[in-house]
Amino acid sequence: GAQTTSLARSVVVQNSPPTISLNTPLNGASFTAPATINLTPAVADANDSVAKVEYFSNGNLVGTVSASPFAFVMSNVPVGTYAIYARATDTFGAAVNSAIATVQVSTAPNQVPASSLNLTSNSGTAPASVSLSYTASDPDGTITKVELLDAGSIVTTAYQGSGTFQLSGVAAGLHTYTAKATDNAGASTVSSPVSVTVANALPVVSIVTPSSGAKFTAPATIPLSVSTSDANGYVAKVEYFSNGQLIATSTTSPFSYSWAGVPAGTYSLKSRATDNVGATTESAPAAITVNPPIALALTPTSINVSQCALNFSATSTIGVTGGTAPYTFGWQRISTTGAPITVSGAQTGTFKASIYPVGDNPTLTGTSVFRASVTDAAGVTATKDISVKFTLLTNSCGGGGGY
């Protein structure tokens, strides 16, 4: 029953520190302000338990959790760069830090606005009235302007989020309208296109001269003139037609034309106006008549003068019928016998026949023949021989002759 007691020994048990790492956030993670950042650790202790986990951001304590699973949430984190780490402490007071996770918190990217456009009315013919309604909205800001575009070019601008574009004087053609909405951050969105077709207004033309029923004498010179207009452009040219055949084209306002040398006949005249985009309109017809020319005729055919005195003057006007005025007259003496009669006034149609003594024994009685000619405006010439007869009365003028 003997007992032995050993010497006492002191035994020191070494505490192992905890381990910790961040599951979230990952190093390099990005967030949008105001950010919510979830902090979740992976912690362990080989011979004890973890008493608490502290979280630091840029060296500042932001939270302490003393119960598993030791998660923590950073809320409303503003824009900036943050170096985040966690510190685990066990029940023996041993503490260790996790690796640092650097995260970035940035401003939220601007969201683009929305835009829509709809056709509400179109009068159809240029110059047209067109109405287009639009709606624009922005999920994270405000609408600053809405531009109406036609094939990419600005037509007008509105500064409300919704409304109506009222357009007037819209030209003929196909118009492709879109609404471009811009928000307070400068982002913009273009709506789906709306196609609007506006018809061209046809030109208007009517014949002013000649009037329907007018009559002319061949060969005629007929003045052609028209009245034209175009509601949404201009008249580029006017063509004239006679019995369906083109006779003239004018490209300069007032588009008049002188139709010369028109022979006898009946004619149906029309004019055709073409506008600046190629649209055409024909006038109502004007029916005219060109009559054959009236043959030129001259009167009188003879002039007889009887008187006592030897010195005399007699006048006579040559009458003209037919032809086309104005007239040009001519005179030519064609006889070589007869009284010494001379003629003046050859270019007026009224001539003066005169006789005077020639020497001591003039031929006191005789007939001279002159050829009168007339040429009208068309170049037609007529002639007539005119006899001028002088008789000196020697037995019935105071009982004697002489001079």
Side-chain angles (χ1 to χ4, degrees), residues 17-316:
T19 60
I20 185 169
S21 63
L22 285 174
N23 289 332
T24 62
L26 297 176
N27 185 51
S30 297
F31 299 88
T32 299
T36 297
I37 304 175
N38 294 311
L39 308 179
T40 58
V43 294
D45 194 290
N47 63 335
D48 198 359
S49 61
V50 175
K52 65 179 179 178
V53 174
E54 299 167 291
Y55 293 97
F56 296 83
S57 174
N58 292 342
N60 299 310
L61 179 65
V62 294
T64 301
V65 182
S66 56
S68 181
F70 304 104
F72 182 76
V73 177
M74 294 175 62
S75 301
N76 297 315
V77 181
V79 172
T81 301
Y82 300 90
I84 299 172
Y85 66 91
R87 176 182 293 162
T89 303
D90 66 11
T91 55
F92 289 106
V96 66
N97 293 339
S98 70
I100 293 174
T102 301
V103 300
Q104 185 72 41
V105 179
S106 305
T107 302
N110 180 50
Q111 298 185 56
V112 297
S115 178
S116 64
L117 184 69
N118 294 285
L119 175 67
T120 54
S121 67
N122 173 19
S123 63
T125 301
S129 296
V130 175
S131 178
L132 298 146
S133 63
Y134 70 91
T135 301
S137 60
D138 190 72
D140 59 351
T142 58
I143 297 296
T144 58
K145 65 180 178 180
V146 179
E147 297 166 304
L148 179 67
L149 310 179
D150 183 1
S153 299
I154 298 174
V155 178
T156 186
T157 303
Y159 298 95
Q160 298 80 35
S162 63
T164 301
F165 294 113
Q166 300 285 358
L167 308 180
S168 61
V170 180
L174 175 63
H175 300 267
T176 304
Y177 293 111
T178 54
K180 180 181 179 181
T182 302
D183 68 10
N184 57 302
S188 62
T189 298
V190 177
S191 70
S192 297
V194 174
S195 296
V196 177
T197 300
V198 176
N200 177 48
L202 298 178
V204 177
V205 61
S206 61
I207 294 177
V208 176
T209 59
S211 59
S212 190
K215 298 182 184 298
F216 301 87
T217 299
T221 298
I222 303 173
L224 305 178
S225 64
V226 291
S227 173
T228 62
S229 63
D230 193 278
N232 64 310
Y234 60 89
V235 174
K237 70 176 178 179
V238 171
E239 299 164 291
Y240 291 98
F241 297 85
S242 172
N243 294 342
Q245 299 298 312
L246 178 67
I247 57 175
T249 299
S250 177
T251 57
T252 304
S253 181
F255 308 107
S256 57
Y257 178 73
S258 181
W259 187 24
V262 183
T266 58
Y267 300 91
S268 177
L269 303 181
K270 280 187 177 183
S271 60
R272 177 193 293 160
T274 302
D275 69 9
N276 56 300
V277 296
T280 61
T281 300
E282 287 190 352
S283 70
I288 65 168
T289 301
V290 178
N291 294 315
I294 302 171
L296 284 171
L298 301 176
T299 58
T301 58
S302 64
I303 301 171
N304 296 319
V305 179
S306 300
Q307 64 181 59
C308 299
L310 181 58
N311 296 336
F312 87 99
S313 292
T315 60
S316 179

